[in-house]
Amino acid sequence: MIKTPYLLFLGDAPDALAAKVAQGIKDWRPDHAVGQLRLPGCKADLGLPDMTLAEARAAGVETLVIGVANRGGVIGETWRACLLDAIAAGFDLASGLHTLLNGYPDLVRAAQENGTALHDVRVPGIAYPIANGVKRTGKRCLAVGTDCSVGKMYTALAMEAEMRARAMNATFRATGQTGILITGSGVPLDAVVADFMAGAVEWLTPDNDPDHWDLIEGQGSLFHVSYSGVTMALVHGGQPDALILCDEPTRPHMRGLPDYKAPSLETLRDTALALARVANPACQVVGISVNTQHLSEADALAHLAEVEARMGLPAVDPFRQGAARLVDALAAI
Amino acid sequence: MIKTPYLLFLGDAPDALAAKVAQGIKDWRPDHAVGQLRLPGCKADLGLPDMTLAEARAAGVETLVIGVANRGGVIGETWRACLLDAIAAGFDLASGLHTLLNGYPDLVRAAQENGTALHDVRVPGIAYPIANGVKRTGKRCLAVGTDCSVGKMYTALAMEAEMRARAMNATFRATGQTGILITGSGVPLDAVVADFMAGAVEWLTPDNDPDHWDLIEGQGSLFHVSYSGVTMALVHGGQPDALILCDEPTRPHMRGLPDYKAPSLETLRDTALALARVANPACQVVGISVNTQHLSEADALAHLAEVEARMGLPAVDPFRQGAARLVDALAAI
C-alpha cells in the first residue's frame, strides 16, 4: 500500500506522453495528485501546482511518485539528486520503472537512514498463495481483450468512476504497474511466479459485500501467445460474474506478432465465456468497449452501431462516450 | 544441463514411493542410472548396484541426484554429511526438493571449494525471453489433461521411448522438476515469472529437423483454476502440431478443488484444440491416454474401448499397453 497523497515527479520528460503515468493518476485519482515536480527541460505539464519538496511536505504529501517513463531505463544523476533530497525530506518514493529504486545503493541507504519506503511496483511485495478456487462473496467484472493494449485498464477505471458517481459499491483492482501507481495498491501480475498467478488474483479480489463490484484490470489477451497465460490466470483467479469485451478495430495484426490476426469479437466472447464459466458458471458477457481513437467521430459511431447490432450487447467507446451504458449493463445482472 | 551418468541418492526413504524420482530416472534413462546410494534405514531399492562414492567415481559417475522426496522439506544432518562427502569427492549434486541445495551455506561453500555444481532444478537457471510466436521448424506434441496429475509426463516419456525404439527422431522436453532430473535438462515452468512462461517453452522447443518431434511434458490443466495459466503458456508457447488428451476417469473432483468437476474429454478436446490453433492452425488431436490404475484390467479395457468408440481416436493406457498406438497416430500426420 503506497501512502497518499502524491507529489508527481515528471523529471525532464521530453513530451506529454512520457508523463502518461502521472497523467493517469491525475485523471483517475485527482485527490491523490497534490502537485507536480518538474526538472529543468521538462516538456510535460499536468496543469497541477508546481511544488518544491518543502511545499509538498507542507501540503501533506506522503509519497513522491515517478510519473514519467525515462529513456534507457536508468535513473540519471539529475533525477537521483532530487530523489535523494525527497528521501531526506521524509518522502516515500514509488516507481514503476524497469530499473528498480531498490537497485541503487545510495537510494536504499538514504531510505534506511530516513525511515522511508522505496516502492518498486513491478516487484511483487508479498508471497501469494496457490489459488484454491473457492467461491467468494461479492461480484467481479473483468475486461478481456482481442489483443494487448486495447483499453482494458481505461475501461475498468471509467466504469469505476461512473459507479462511484452513482454511489455504487465498486473498486478498481490494479494488476499492472500503472494501475498500481494510480490506486496505490495491486498485484504486478506479469512479474508473479507462474504457480501463484491465479492465487495472486484471488488475493487481490477477496470476499466482499454482496453488492460490491471489483473491476479487475485485464492483462494481455487469451489470443496473444506471449501473454495468454497471464490472462488465463485472471479469468480463473478472478471468478468474474461479468466480462467486458475490449477491441481496437484498426490493428493490422496482434501487437508485436506480425503473423497473428486478432480474433473476432464473437470468437473472443465464446472462448472467454467458456473458460470463465469453469470458475463461475453464472458468468455473463455484458458489454463491449471499443477503442476508436484511430477512427473519425462519424466512423466510430457507425462502427459502434454495427458492433452493437451484430453482438446484441451495448458497445461504447468509454473515452468518447463515457462508461454509463456498460455500468447499466453491469447493474442489470 | 546436468552431467551424466548419475548415482541415485535414496537417503533414508521410508518406502518405495518416496524414491519415485529415482525410479523415474531408472525407468526412463537407464543409461544414466549407474547405481544407488542408500543410508541406514532406507526402505527403497531400485535393484541397482549399491555403490559407495568411491565406487561410483570409479564407474564414471558425474552427478549425485537426490532421487527421494523427504518429509518436512529440509535436508537433515545424516543426508548432509553424505552430500558433503560427495562434493568433496568431486561430484555435482542435483535436487528437485523445495528446500534448495543452494540454501545451505556449508554445501555452497564446499561446492565452491571443490569446483562442483549444485543444481536446484526447481529454480530457473536462465533469463528466458518473451515469446515471439514465430513459427518454428520441426514438429511438437503436447499432452493436455482433464486435470493435474493424470499421467501427462508418463505419456510423453512412453511415447518418446517407443519412438526411439522405432528409430524416430524424438526428444522428451521436461517442464517440471522430475522430468528435468530424468533427462538432465528442461524448464521448471511453474517457477518461471509470468511474462516469460511462453517464451521459456519456445526456448525449450527450438527449430529442429523437419522429421523431429518434441514430446513436451504437460503441466496443470486448462480446467484447473490454480494452474491453468501455466497450461495456457504450454499450448501457445509449444505451438503443438499434435495434442494427446489425458484423463484419469475415477476422480470424484479436480485435484485439490472439491467444488470442481473435471471436464469431459469432448470439452477438453474442443477447448484445447481451439486455443492451440491460435499458435498453430494445423494442430490436431491425435489420441487419448487414459490412466486406468484404479480400474481392474477388465474395466480398464472396457473403458478404453468405450472412449475410443465415442471419441473416434485411439485410446490407450500407456502403462498397461504401451504407447505404440499413440505413436502410430503421431506418425500418420
PDB file of all heavy atoms in Angstrom, chain A residues 131-133 190 192-195 197-198 222 225-229 236 257 260 278, chain B residues 131-133 190 192-195 197-198 222 225-229 236 257 260 278:
ATOM      1  N   ALA A 131      -3.865 -20.616  -5.823  1.00  0.00           N
ATOM      2  CA  ALA A 131      -5.319 -20.403  -5.887  1.00  0.00           C
ATOM      3  C   ALA A 131      -6.059 -21.637  -5.373  1.00  0.00           C
ATOM      4  O   ALA A 131      -5.654 -22.763  -5.643  1.00  0.00           O
ATOM      5  CB  ALA A 131      -5.737 -20.111  -7.324  1.00  0.00           C
ATOM      6  N   ASN A 132      -7.154 -21.405  -4.628  1.00  0.00           N
ATOM      7  CA  ASN A 132      -7.947 -22.529  -4.136  1.00  0.00           C
ATOM      8  C   ASN A 132      -9.306 -22.653  -4.818  1.00  0.00           C
ATOM      9  O   ASN A 132     -10.039 -23.612  -4.583  1.00  0.00           O
ATOM     10  CB  ASN A 132      -8.118 -22.465  -2.616  1.00  0.00           C
ATOM     11  CG  ASN A 132      -8.899 -21.239  -2.175  1.00  0.00           C
ATOM     12  OD1 ASN A 132      -9.689 -20.671  -2.937  1.00  0.00           O
ATOM     13  ND2 ASN A 132      -8.696 -20.817  -0.933  1.00  0.00           N
ATOM     14  N   GLY A 133      -9.674 -21.676  -5.645  1.00  0.00           N
ATOM     15  CA  GLY A 133     -10.904 -21.790  -6.428  1.00  0.00           C
ATOM     16  C   GLY A 133     -12.196 -21.682  -5.631  1.00  0.00           C
ATOM     17  O   GLY A 133     -13.279 -21.834  -6.202  1.00  0.00           O
ATOM     18  N   ASP A 190       2.276  -9.658 -14.139  1.00  0.00           N
ATOM     19  CA  ASP A 190       3.216 -10.241 -15.092  1.00  0.00           C
ATOM     20  C   ASP A 190       4.574 -10.537 -14.463  1.00  0.00           C
ATOM     21  O   ASP A 190       5.407 -11.178 -15.075  1.00  0.00           O
ATOM     22  CB  ASP A 190       3.339  -9.398 -16.361  1.00  0.00           C
ATOM     23  CG  ASP A 190       3.836  -7.993 -16.098  1.00  0.00           C
ATOM     24  OD1 ASP A 190       4.322  -7.712 -14.994  1.00  0.00           O
ATOM     25  OD2 ASP A 190       3.735  -7.160 -17.020  1.00  0.00           O
ATOM     26  N   VAL A 192       4.677 -12.033 -11.358  1.00  0.00           N
ATOM     27  CA  VAL A 192       4.437 -13.080 -10.355  1.00  0.00           C
ATOM     28  C   VAL A 192       4.902 -14.422 -10.913  1.00  0.00           C
ATOM     29  O   VAL A 192       4.773 -14.688 -12.112  1.00  0.00           O
ATOM     30  CB  VAL A 192       2.937 -13.116  -9.996  1.00  0.00           C
ATOM     31  CG1 VAL A 192       2.597 -14.313  -9.107  1.00  0.00           C
ATOM     32  CG2 VAL A 192       2.529 -11.808  -9.310  1.00  0.00           C
ATOM     33  N   VAL A 193       5.423 -15.281 -10.055  1.00  0.00           N
ATOM     34  CA  VAL A 193       5.849 -16.619 -10.464  1.00  0.00           C
ATOM     35  C   VAL A 193       4.624 -17.441 -10.881  1.00  0.00           C
ATOM     36  O   VAL A 193       3.574 -17.381 -10.232  1.00  0.00           O
ATOM     37  CB  VAL A 193       6.625 -17.300  -9.321  1.00  0.00           C
ATOM     38  CG1 VAL A 193       6.789 -18.796  -9.569  1.00  0.00           C
ATOM     39  CG2 VAL A 193       7.989 -16.636  -9.151  1.00  0.00           C
ATOM     40  N   ALA A 194       4.786 -18.202 -11.965  1.00  0.00           N
ATOM     41  CA  ALA A 194       3.675 -18.875 -12.636  1.00  0.00           C
ATOM     42  C   ALA A 194       2.713 -19.584 -11.683  1.00  0.00           C
ATOM     43  O   ALA A 194       1.497 -19.428 -11.786  1.00  0.00           O
ATOM     44  CB  ALA A 194       4.243 -19.875 -13.659  1.00  0.00           C
ATOM     45  N   ASP A 195       3.229 -20.360 -10.768  1.00  0.00           N
ATOM     46  CA  ASP A 195       2.374 -21.154  -9.882  1.00  0.00           C
ATOM     47  C   ASP A 195       1.429 -20.306  -9.036  1.00  0.00           C
ATOM     48  O   ASP A 195       0.435 -20.839  -8.531  1.00  0.00           O
ATOM     49  CB  ASP A 195       3.248 -21.969  -8.928  1.00  0.00           C
ATOM     50  CG  ASP A 195       3.103 -23.453  -9.149  1.00  0.00           C
ATOM     51  OD1 ASP A 195       2.369 -23.844 -10.062  1.00  0.00           O
ATOM     52  OD2 ASP A 195       3.726 -24.212  -8.400  1.00  0.00           O
ATOM     53  N   MET A 197       0.076 -17.150  -9.925  1.00  0.00           N
ATOM     54  CA  MET A 197      -0.657 -16.095 -10.637  1.00  0.00           C
ATOM     55  C   MET A 197      -2.127 -16.069 -10.232  1.00  0.00           C
ATOM     56  O   MET A 197      -2.664 -15.021  -9.847  1.00  0.00           O
ATOM     57  CB  MET A 197      -0.570 -16.306 -12.149  1.00  0.00           C
ATOM     58  CG  MET A 197       0.808 -16.155 -12.745  1.00  0.00           C
ATOM     59  SD  MET A 197       0.733 -16.271 -14.563  1.00  0.00           S
ATOM     60  CE  MET A 197       0.118 -17.950 -14.776  1.00  0.00           C
ATOM     61  N   ALA A 198      -2.806 -17.189 -10.361  1.00  0.00           N
ATOM     62  CA  ALA A 198      -4.237 -17.204 -10.063  1.00  0.00           C
ATOM     63  C   ALA A 198      -4.471 -16.921  -8.580  1.00  0.00           C
ATOM     64  O   ALA A 198      -5.444 -16.240  -8.214  1.00  0.00           O
ATOM     65  CB  ALA A 198      -4.846 -18.548 -10.471  1.00  0.00           C
ATOM     66  N   LEU A 222      -6.280 -13.658 -24.254  1.00  0.00           N
ATOM     67  CA  LEU A 222      -6.278 -15.114 -24.425  1.00  0.00           C
ATOM     68  C   LEU A 222      -5.743 -15.518 -25.797  1.00  0.00           C
ATOM     69  O   LEU A 222      -5.347 -16.667 -26.000  1.00  0.00           O
ATOM     70  CB  LEU A 222      -7.698 -15.674 -24.257  1.00  0.00           C
ATOM     71  CG  LEU A 222      -8.276 -15.580 -22.838  1.00  0.00           C
ATOM     72  CD1 LEU A 222      -9.769 -15.893 -22.852  1.00  0.00           C
ATOM     73  CD2 LEU A 222      -7.538 -16.516 -21.891  1.00  0.00           C
ATOM     74  N   VAL A 225      -0.172 -14.954 -27.907  1.00  0.00           N
ATOM     75  CA  VAL A 225       0.596 -16.120 -27.475  1.00  0.00           C
ATOM     76  C   VAL A 225       1.710 -15.779 -26.489  1.00  0.00           C
ATOM     77  O   VAL A 225       2.167 -16.655 -25.762  1.00  0.00           O
ATOM     78  CB  VAL A 225       1.187 -16.904 -28.681  1.00  0.00           C
ATOM     79  CG1 VAL A 225       0.052 -17.471 -29.535  1.00  0.00           C
ATOM     80  CG2 VAL A 225       2.115 -16.035 -29.522  1.00  0.00           C
ATOM     81  N   SER A 226       2.149 -14.526 -26.425  1.00  0.00           N
ATOM     82  CA  SER A 226       3.211 -14.189 -25.474  1.00  0.00           C
ATOM     83  C   SER A 226       2.689 -14.115 -24.047  1.00  0.00           C
ATOM     84  O   SER A 226       3.416 -14.406 -23.097  1.00  0.00           O
ATOM     85  CB  SER A 226       3.853 -12.849 -25.841  1.00  0.00           C
ATOM     86  OG  SER A 226       4.275 -12.823 -27.177  1.00  0.00           O
ATOM     87  N   TYR A 227       1.442 -13.700 -23.872  1.00  0.00           N
ATOM     88  CA  TYR A 227       0.952 -13.354 -22.532  1.00  0.00           C
ATOM     89  C   TYR A 227      -0.351 -14.060 -22.147  1.00  0.00           C
ATOM     90  O   TYR A 227      -0.932 -13.745 -21.111  1.00  0.00           O
ATOM     91  CB  TYR A 227       0.723 -11.838 -22.457  1.00  0.00           C
ATOM     92  CG  TYR A 227       1.917 -11.031 -22.873  1.00  0.00           C
ATOM     93  CD1 TYR A 227       1.893 -10.223 -24.005  1.00  0.00           C
ATOM     94  CD2 TYR A 227       3.102 -11.095 -22.144  1.00  0.00           C
ATOM     95  CE1 TYR A 227       3.006  -9.494 -24.403  1.00  0.00           C
ATOM     96  CE2 TYR A 227       4.225 -10.374 -22.534  1.00  0.00           C
ATOM     97  CZ  TYR A 227       4.167  -9.576 -23.668  1.00  0.00           C
ATOM     98  OH  TYR A 227       5.274  -8.859 -24.049  1.00  0.00           O
ATOM     99  N   SER A 228      -0.814 -14.994 -22.951  1.00  0.00           N
ATOM    100  CA  SER A 228      -2.137 -15.587 -22.712  1.00  0.00           C
ATOM    101  C   SER A 228      -2.231 -16.299 -21.369  1.00  0.00           C
ATOM    102  O   SER A 228      -3.319 -16.381 -20.787  1.00  0.00           O
ATOM    103  CB  SER A 228      -2.478 -16.546 -23.851  1.00  0.00           C
ATOM    104  OG  SER A 228      -1.430 -17.487 -24.038  1.00  0.00           O
ATOM    105  N   GLY A 229      -1.109 -16.800 -20.870  1.00  0.00           N
ATOM    106  CA  GLY A 229      -1.148 -17.476 -19.577  1.00  0.00           C
ATOM    107  C   GLY A 229      -1.515 -16.521 -18.446  1.00  0.00           C
ATOM    108  O   GLY A 229      -2.197 -16.907 -17.490  1.00  0.00           O
ATOM    109  N   HIS A 236      -9.517 -17.252 -14.471  1.00  0.00           N
ATOM    110  CA  HIS A 236      -9.830 -18.272 -13.470  1.00  0.00           C
ATOM    111  C   HIS A 236      -9.674 -17.763 -12.043  1.00  0.00           C
ATOM    112  O   HIS A 236     -10.498 -18.072 -11.184  1.00  0.00           O
ATOM    113  CB  HIS A 236      -8.979 -19.522 -13.711  1.00  0.00           C
ATOM    114  CG  HIS A 236      -9.511 -20.362 -14.832  1.00  0.00           C
ATOM    115  ND1 HIS A 236      -8.811 -21.383 -15.414  1.00  0.00           N
ATOM    116  CD2 HIS A 236     -10.713 -20.312 -15.471  1.00  0.00           C
ATOM    117  CE1 HIS A 236      -9.549 -21.950 -16.362  1.00  0.00           C
ATOM    118  NE2 HIS A 236     -10.691 -21.308 -16.424  1.00  0.00           N
ATOM    119  N   LEU A 257       3.173  -9.183 -32.932  1.00  0.00           N
ATOM    120  CA  LEU A 257       3.136 -10.506 -33.579  1.00  0.00           C
ATOM    121  C   LEU A 257       2.634 -10.350 -35.010  1.00  0.00           C
ATOM    122  O   LEU A 257       1.447 -10.523 -35.289  1.00  0.00           O
ATOM    123  CB  LEU A 257       2.196 -11.448 -32.815  1.00  0.00           C
ATOM    124  CG  LEU A 257       2.484 -11.695 -31.329  1.00  0.00           C
ATOM    125  CD1 LEU A 257       1.386 -12.573 -30.718  1.00  0.00           C
ATOM    126  CD2 LEU A 257       3.848 -12.335 -31.113  1.00  0.00           C
ATOM    127  N   TYR A 260       0.086 -12.842 -36.652  1.00  0.00           N
ATOM    128  CA  TYR A 260      -1.140 -13.216 -35.931  1.00  0.00           C
ATOM    129  C   TYR A 260      -2.204 -12.141 -36.108  1.00  0.00           C
ATOM    130  O   TYR A 260      -1.958 -10.969 -35.865  1.00  0.00           O
ATOM    131  CB  TYR A 260      -0.853 -13.386 -34.435  1.00  0.00           C
ATOM    132  CG  TYR A 260      -0.024 -14.601 -34.110  1.00  0.00           C
ATOM    133  CD1 TYR A 260       1.353 -14.606 -34.323  1.00  0.00           C
ATOM    134  CD2 TYR A 260      -0.617 -15.740 -33.601  1.00  0.00           C
ATOM    135  CE1 TYR A 260       2.119 -15.725 -34.023  1.00  0.00           C
ATOM    136  CE2 TYR A 260       0.136 -16.866 -33.299  1.00  0.00           C
ATOM    137  CZ  TYR A 260       1.506 -16.849 -33.508  1.00  0.00           C
ATOM    138  OH  TYR A 260       2.251 -17.952 -33.224  1.00  0.00           O
ATOM    139  N   VAL A 278     -15.762 -22.048 -16.117  1.00  0.00           N
ATOM    140  CA  VAL A 278     -15.120 -23.092 -15.315  1.00  0.00           C
ATOM    141  C   VAL A 278     -15.072 -22.645 -13.852  1.00  0.00           C
ATOM    142  O   VAL A 278     -15.355 -23.422 -12.938  1.00  0.00           O
ATOM    143  CB  VAL A 278     -13.689 -23.373 -15.837  1.00  0.00           C
ATOM    144  CG1 VAL A 278     -12.918 -24.267 -14.876  1.00  0.00           C
ATOM    145  CG2 VAL A 278     -13.751 -23.993 -17.235  1.00  0.00           C
TER     146      VAL A 278
ATOM    147  N   ALA B 131       7.942 -14.586 -25.389  1.00  0.00           N
ATOM    148  CA  ALA B 131       7.616 -15.378 -26.579  1.00  0.00           C
ATOM    149  C   ALA B 131       7.386 -14.465 -27.781  1.00  0.00           C
ATOM    150  O   ALA B 131       6.790 -13.397 -27.647  1.00  0.00           O
ATOM    151  CB  ALA B 131       6.363 -16.220 -26.324  1.00  0.00           C
ATOM    152  N   ASN B 132       7.850 -14.914 -28.947  1.00  0.00           N
ATOM    153  CA  ASN B 132       7.633 -14.116 -30.162  1.00  0.00           C
ATOM    154  C   ASN B 132       6.639 -14.755 -31.124  1.00  0.00           C
ATOM    155  O   ASN B 132       6.280 -14.143 -32.136  1.00  0.00           O
ATOM    156  CB  ASN B 132       8.962 -13.820 -30.879  1.00  0.00           C
ATOM    157  CG  ASN B 132       9.637 -15.074 -31.386  1.00  0.00           C
ATOM    158  OD1 ASN B 132       8.990 -16.101 -31.626  1.00  0.00           O
ATOM    159  ND2 ASN B 132      10.949 -15.014 -31.556  1.00  0.00           N
ATOM    160  N   GLY B 133       6.224 -15.978 -30.860  1.00  0.00           N
ATOM    161  CA  GLY B 133       5.181 -16.601 -31.670  1.00  0.00           C
ATOM    162  C   GLY B 133       5.598 -16.992 -33.075  1.00  0.00           C
ATOM    163  O   GLY B 133       4.770 -17.468 -33.852  1.00  0.00           O
ATOM    164  N   ASP B 190       6.624 -23.967 -13.683  1.00  0.00           N
ATOM    165  CA  ASP B 190       5.794 -23.342 -12.658  1.00  0.00           C
ATOM    166  C   ASP B 190       6.569 -22.352 -11.802  1.00  0.00           C
ATOM    167  O   ASP B 190       5.967 -21.624 -11.010  1.00  0.00           O
ATOM    168  CB  ASP B 190       5.046 -24.387 -11.819  1.00  0.00           C
ATOM    169  CG  ASP B 190       5.975 -25.325 -11.075  1.00  0.00           C
ATOM    170  OD1 ASP B 190       7.178 -25.048 -10.992  1.00  0.00           O
ATOM    171  OD2 ASP B 190       5.481 -26.343 -10.561  1.00  0.00           O
ATOM    172  N   VAL B 192       8.713 -20.125 -13.322  1.00  0.00           N
ATOM    173  CA  VAL B 192       9.106 -19.036 -14.217  1.00  0.00           C
ATOM    174  C   VAL B 192       8.179 -17.835 -13.984  1.00  0.00           C
ATOM    175  O   VAL B 192       6.988 -17.999 -13.705  1.00  0.00           O
ATOM    176  CB  VAL B 192       9.032 -19.511 -15.688  1.00  0.00           C
ATOM    177  CG1 VAL B 192       9.238 -18.363 -16.662  1.00  0.00           C
ATOM    178  CG2 VAL B 192      10.064 -20.612 -15.929  1.00  0.00           C
ATOM    179  N   VAL B 193       8.718 -16.634 -14.093  1.00  0.00           N
ATOM    180  CA  VAL B 193       7.909 -15.420 -13.948  1.00  0.00           C
ATOM    181  C   VAL B 193       6.911 -15.333 -15.106  1.00  0.00           C
ATOM    182  O   VAL B 193       7.241 -15.633 -16.258  1.00  0.00           O
ATOM    183  CB  VAL B 193       8.827 -14.184 -13.897  1.00  0.00           C
ATOM    184  CG1 VAL B 193       8.038 -12.896 -14.084  1.00  0.00           C
ATOM    185  CG2 VAL B 193       9.580 -14.158 -12.571  1.00  0.00           C
ATOM    186  N   ALA B 194       5.681 -14.916 -14.760  1.00  0.00           N
ATOM    187  CA  ALA B 194       4.538 -14.966 -15.670  1.00  0.00           C
ATOM    188  C   ALA B 194       4.849 -14.479 -17.090  1.00  0.00           C
ATOM    189  O   ALA B 194       4.509 -15.140 -18.072  1.00  0.00           O
ATOM    190  CB  ALA B 194       3.378 -14.167 -15.075  1.00  0.00           C
ATOM    191  N   ASP B 195       5.473 -13.337 -17.208  1.00  0.00           N
ATOM    192  CA  ASP B 195       5.701 -12.744 -18.518  1.00  0.00           C
ATOM    193  C   ASP B 195       6.562 -13.613 -19.429  1.00  0.00           C
ATOM    194  O   ASP B 195       6.546 -13.418 -20.647  1.00  0.00           O
ATOM    195  CB  ASP B 195       6.426 -11.404 -18.347  1.00  0.00           C
ATOM    196  CG  ASP B 195       5.577 -10.238 -18.814  1.00  0.00           C
ATOM    197  OD1 ASP B 195       4.424 -10.463 -19.237  1.00  0.00           O
ATOM    198  OD2 ASP B 195       6.068  -9.099 -18.752  1.00  0.00           O
ATOM    199  N   MET B 197       6.730 -17.159 -19.356  1.00  0.00           N
ATOM    200  CA  MET B 197       6.361 -18.577 -19.435  1.00  0.00           C
ATOM    201  C   MET B 197       6.361 -19.089 -20.866  1.00  0.00           C
ATOM    202  O   MET B 197       7.002 -20.096 -21.185  1.00  0.00           O
ATOM    203  CB  MET B 197       4.963 -18.797 -18.835  1.00  0.00           C
ATOM    204  CG  MET B 197       4.841 -18.549 -17.365  1.00  0.00           C
ATOM    205  SD  MET B 197       3.180 -18.981 -16.771  1.00  0.00           S
ATOM    206  CE  MET B 197       2.160 -17.845 -17.713  1.00  0.00           C
ATOM    207  N   ALA B 198       5.619 -18.425 -21.737  1.00  0.00           N
ATOM    208  CA  ALA B 198       5.518 -18.912 -23.117  1.00  0.00           C
ATOM    209  C   ALA B 198       6.879 -18.826 -23.810  1.00  0.00           C
ATOM    210  O   ALA B 198       7.230 -19.700 -24.612  1.00  0.00           O
ATOM    211  CB  ALA B 198       4.462 -18.115 -23.884  1.00  0.00           C
ATOM    212  N   LEU B 222      -6.013 -26.872 -18.490  1.00  0.00           N
ATOM    213  CA  LEU B 222      -6.763 -25.656 -18.839  1.00  0.00           C
ATOM    214  C   LEU B 222      -7.995 -25.492 -17.953  1.00  0.00           C
ATOM    215  O   LEU B 222      -8.548 -24.392 -17.866  1.00  0.00           O
ATOM    216  CB  LEU B 222      -7.187 -25.703 -20.306  1.00  0.00           C
ATOM    217  CG  LEU B 222      -6.045 -25.620 -21.325  1.00  0.00           C
ATOM    218  CD1 LEU B 222      -6.564 -25.969 -22.716  1.00  0.00           C
ATOM    219  CD2 LEU B 222      -5.414 -24.232 -21.313  1.00  0.00           C
ATOM    220  N   VAL B 225      -8.236 -24.326 -12.080  1.00  0.00           N
ATOM    221  CA  VAL B 225      -8.135 -22.872 -11.916  1.00  0.00           C
ATOM    222  C   VAL B 225      -6.859 -22.434 -11.216  1.00  0.00           C
ATOM    223  O   VAL B 225      -6.454 -21.275 -11.349  1.00  0.00           O
ATOM    224  CB  VAL B 225      -9.364 -22.301 -11.179  1.00  0.00           C
ATOM    225  CG1 VAL B 225     -10.629 -22.512 -12.010  1.00  0.00           C
ATOM    226  CG2 VAL B 225      -9.519 -22.883  -9.785  1.00  0.00           C
ATOM    227  N   SER B 226      -6.187 -23.308 -10.501  1.00  0.00           N
ATOM    228  CA  SER B 226      -4.945 -22.900  -9.832  1.00  0.00           C
ATOM    229  C   SER B 226      -3.786 -22.768 -10.817  1.00  0.00           C
ATOM    230  O   SER B 226      -2.892 -21.933 -10.610  1.00  0.00           O
ATOM    231  CB  SER B 226      -4.563 -23.917  -8.750  1.00  0.00           C
ATOM    232  OG  SER B 226      -5.625 -24.160  -7.859  1.00  0.00           O
ATOM    233  N   TYR B 227      -3.780 -23.593 -11.852  1.00  0.00           N
ATOM    234  CA  TYR B 227      -2.582 -23.711 -12.696  1.00  0.00           C
ATOM    235  C   TYR B 227      -2.844 -23.512 -14.183  1.00  0.00           C
ATOM    236  O   TYR B 227      -1.957 -23.732 -15.006  1.00  0.00           O
ATOM    237  CB  TYR B 227      -1.948 -25.099 -12.491  1.00  0.00           C
ATOM    238  CG  TYR B 227      -1.699 -25.423 -11.050  1.00  0.00           C
ATOM    239  CD1 TYR B 227      -2.365 -26.459 -10.410  1.00  0.00           C
ATOM    240  CD2 TYR B 227      -0.797 -24.671 -10.302  1.00  0.00           C
ATOM    241  CE1 TYR B 227      -2.142 -26.752  -9.071  1.00  0.00           C
ATOM    242  CE2 TYR B 227      -0.568 -24.951  -8.964  1.00  0.00           C
ATOM    243  CZ  TYR B 227      -1.248 -25.992  -8.352  1.00  0.00           C
ATOM    244  OH  TYR B 227      -1.028 -26.266  -7.033  1.00  0.00           O
ATOM    245  N   SER B 228      -4.062 -23.127 -14.562  1.00  0.00           N
ATOM    246  CA  SER B 228      -4.421 -23.087 -15.979  1.00  0.00           C
ATOM    247  C   SER B 228      -3.554 -22.120 -16.778  1.00  0.00           C
ATOM    248  O   SER B 228      -3.344 -22.314 -17.973  1.00  0.00           O
ATOM    249  CB  SER B 228      -5.895 -22.708 -16.131  1.00  0.00           C
ATOM    250  OG  SER B 228      -6.184 -21.518 -15.401  1.00  0.00           O
ATOM    251  N   GLY B 229      -3.029 -21.082 -16.130  1.00  0.00           N
ATOM    252  CA  GLY B 229      -2.177 -20.140 -16.850  1.00  0.00           C
ATOM    253  C   GLY B 229      -0.890 -20.791 -17.329  1.00  0.00           C
ATOM    254  O   GLY B 229      -0.370 -20.458 -18.406  1.00  0.00           O
ATOM    255  N   HIS B 236       0.313 -22.292 -26.091  1.00  0.00           N
ATOM    256  CA  HIS B 236       0.698 -21.246 -27.044  1.00  0.00           C
ATOM    257  C   HIS B 236       2.201 -21.212 -27.302  1.00  0.00           C
ATOM    258  O   HIS B 236       2.630 -21.022 -28.438  1.00  0.00           O
ATOM    259  CB  HIS B 236       0.184 -19.892 -26.566  1.00  0.00           C
ATOM    260  CG  HIS B 236      -1.272 -19.694 -26.845  1.00  0.00           C
ATOM    261  ND1 HIS B 236      -2.019 -18.689 -26.295  1.00  0.00           N
ATOM    262  CD2 HIS B 236      -2.129 -20.392 -27.644  1.00  0.00           C
ATOM    263  CE1 HIS B 236      -3.266 -18.769 -26.739  1.00  0.00           C
ATOM    264  NE2 HIS B 236      -3.358 -19.798 -27.549  1.00  0.00           N
ATOM    265  N   LEU B 257      -9.466 -29.381  -5.577  1.00  0.00           N
ATOM    266  CA  LEU B 257     -10.584 -28.437  -5.744  1.00  0.00           C
ATOM    267  C   LEU B 257     -11.908 -29.192  -5.586  1.00  0.00           C
ATOM    268  O   LEU B 257     -12.520 -29.606  -6.575  1.00  0.00           O
ATOM    269  CB  LEU B 257     -10.528 -27.780  -7.133  1.00  0.00           C
ATOM    270  CG  LEU B 257      -9.253 -27.035  -7.520  1.00  0.00           C
ATOM    271  CD1 LEU B 257      -9.351 -26.554  -8.970  1.00  0.00           C
ATOM    272  CD2 LEU B 257      -8.977 -25.869  -6.585  1.00  0.00           C
ATOM    273  N   TYR B 260     -14.991 -28.543  -7.928  1.00  0.00           N
ATOM    274  CA  TYR B 260     -14.818 -28.520  -9.383  1.00  0.00           C
ATOM    275  C   TYR B 260     -14.812 -29.934  -9.944  1.00  0.00           C
ATOM    276  O   TYR B 260     -14.070 -30.789  -9.492  1.00  0.00           O
ATOM    277  CB  TYR B 260     -13.503 -27.835  -9.750  1.00  0.00           C
ATOM    278  CG  TYR B 260     -13.497 -26.350  -9.490  1.00  0.00           C
ATOM    279  CD1 TYR B 260     -13.344 -25.840  -8.201  1.00  0.00           C
ATOM    280  CD2 TYR B 260     -13.655 -25.450 -10.531  1.00  0.00           C
ATOM    281  CE1 TYR B 260     -13.350 -24.476  -7.965  1.00  0.00           C
ATOM    282  CE2 TYR B 260     -13.657 -24.082 -10.302  1.00  0.00           C
ATOM    283  CZ  TYR B 260     -13.506 -23.601  -9.016  1.00  0.00           C
ATOM    284  OH  TYR B 260     -13.510 -22.261  -8.792  1.00  0.00           O
ATOM    285  N   VAL B 278      -4.639 -21.151 -32.327  1.00  0.00           N
ATOM    286  CA  VAL B 278      -4.194 -19.753 -32.366  1.00  0.00           C
ATOM    287  C   VAL B 278      -2.716 -19.699 -32.752  1.00  0.00           C
ATOM    288  O   VAL B 278      -2.296 -18.871 -33.568  1.00  0.00           O
ATOM    289  CB  VAL B 278      -4.422 -19.076 -30.995  1.00  0.00           C
ATOM    290  CG1 VAL B 278      -3.751 -17.703 -30.938  1.00  0.00           C
ATOM    291  CG2 VAL B 278      -5.915 -18.959 -30.695  1.00  0.00           C
TER     292      VAL B 278
END
